[in-house]
Amino acid sequence: EPEVTQTPSHQVTQMGQEVILRCVPISNHLYFYWYRQILGQKVEFLVSFYNNEISEKSEIFDDQFSVERPDGSNFTLKIRSTKLEDSAMYFCASSESRTGGPTQYFGPGTRLLVL
Amino acid sequence: KQEVTQIPAALSVPEGENLVLNCSFTDSAIYNLQWFRQDPGKGLTSLLLIQSSQREQTSGRLNASLDKSSGRSTLYIAASQPGDSATYLCAVTFTGGGNKLTFGTGTQLKVEL
């Protein structure tokens, strides 16, 4: 069964460093998402992406964050200058369609620790 | 503000017991509601998705119901097993909110031998 994959599974970085989290969505899916979950808190929406553009973003997704689909398979989340409070589990998701609340399929997550 | 709430926050039951997890949401204008399972430190596994026009969905020992007008959903787990121990998350796609999922805080379930 097709699945969303994410790399790395864990990343440790120093405050102020740039990190890139990578995701490979399900191959025929066209709509992509990033969510994050700070330890002990809710899963929160960050951004959605379609047709090489951001469709929607939350208040969390400030200028330090960016997303890109650099090729036909990868979808990345970049944090330019990491802060301690960026430590969280980051989930990528994808969906086949973009209307009417499509089913989103989640990857296993990348656990980011900022020291 | 569109919010999702889950109670209880934690639940411990003996093996074999039937149990119900609750989810409530503040706005009845939804596309669908989805139940996920999350094991410690792991990703999200989709269990059931109920469209706004549906009343319930079943998968094996799991049954999810939806009462859109009252803003409530329940996840019923029959004959619980230790392997069911996990955190169960409810997530809603509100209309007018794009396609983003709004998650509850989850119910941490422990099924004891």
Side-chain angles (χ1 to χ4, degrees):
Chain A
E1 186 174 330
E3 56 184 21
V4 177
T5 60
Q6 291 184 241
T7 56
S9 58
H10 294 79
Q11 179 144 8
V12 181
T13 190
Q14 296 291 323
M15 190 170 57
Q17 295 295 305
E18 174 183 286
V19 295
I20 298 176
L21 310 182
R22 291 182 169 80
C23 169
V24 178
I26 294 173
S27 62
N28 64 332
H29 287 187
L30 300 175
Y31 211 55
F32 315 120
Y33 315 77
W34 284 101
Y35 293 80
R36 79 171 185 189
Q37 185 180 32
I38 295 171
L39 189 63
Q41 297 187 22
K42 291 184 180 185
V43 177
E44 302 171 289
F45 169 78
L46 292 178
V47 66
S48 59
F49 189 86
Y50 171 74
N51 200 26
N52 285 318
E53 290 184 346
I54 290 175
S55 300
E56 188 179 3
K57 59 183 181 179
S58 70
E59 294 173 350
I60 303 167
F61 195 88
D62 61 22
D63 292 342
Q64 292 299 311
F65 292 89
S66 62
V67 288
E68 189 180 28
R69 187 150 164 86
D71 54 45
S73 60
N74 290 284
F75 179 51
T76 62
L77 174 68
K78 181 191 291 185
I79 309 175
R80 289 191 183 83
S81 178
T82 50
K83 306 183 186 76
L84 296 176
E85 55 265 37
D86 292 328
S87 295
M89 181 78 100
Y90 288 82
F91 294 108
C92 172
S94 69
S95 64
E96 189 172 4
S97 64
R98 58 189 288 254
T99 57
T103 301
Q104 296 180 27
Y105 297 86
F106 281 76
T110 293
R111 184 171 295 284
L112 175 66
L113 178 59
V114 182
L115 301 176
Chain B
K1 187 179 178 184
Q2 294 169 329
E3 292 185 341
V4 179
T5 305
Q6 291 184 248
I7 53 170
L11 181 64
S12 182
V13 301
E15 182 181 11
E17 197 162 288
N18 303 326
L19 59 102
V20 174
L21 307 180
N22 297 291
C23 172
S24 61
F25 44 96
T26 54
D27 185 348
S28 62
I30 68 170
Y31 284 124
N32 56 45
L33 183 146
Q34 200 164 354
W35 283 93
F36 291 88
R37 170 183 172 140
Q38 184 176 31
D39 292 286
K42 302 294 185 182
L44 307 175
T45 302
S46 179
L47 299 173
L48 290 164
L49 181 144
I50 312 177
Q51 299 292 350
S52 63
S53 58
Q54 297 175 319
R55 298 282 294 182
E56 64 179 308
Q57 281 285 337
T58 298
S59 176
R61 293 183 295 109
L62 305 180
N63 177 277
S65 69
L66 174 65
D67 184 343
K68 199 173 61 168
S69 61
S70 68
R72 293 182 182 181
S73 175
T74 61
L75 179 66
Y76 174 83
I77 303 177
S80 58
Q81 303 169 357
D84 294 330
S85 298
T87 296
Y88 290 81
L89 301 175
C90 168
V92 174
T93 307
F94 292 102
T95 62
N99 286 322
K100 66 177 182 286
L101 289 167
T102 301
F103 283 81
T105 47
T107 294
Q108 188 173 7
L109 173 66
K110 184 175 182 181
V111 181
E112 299 176 315
L113 290 168

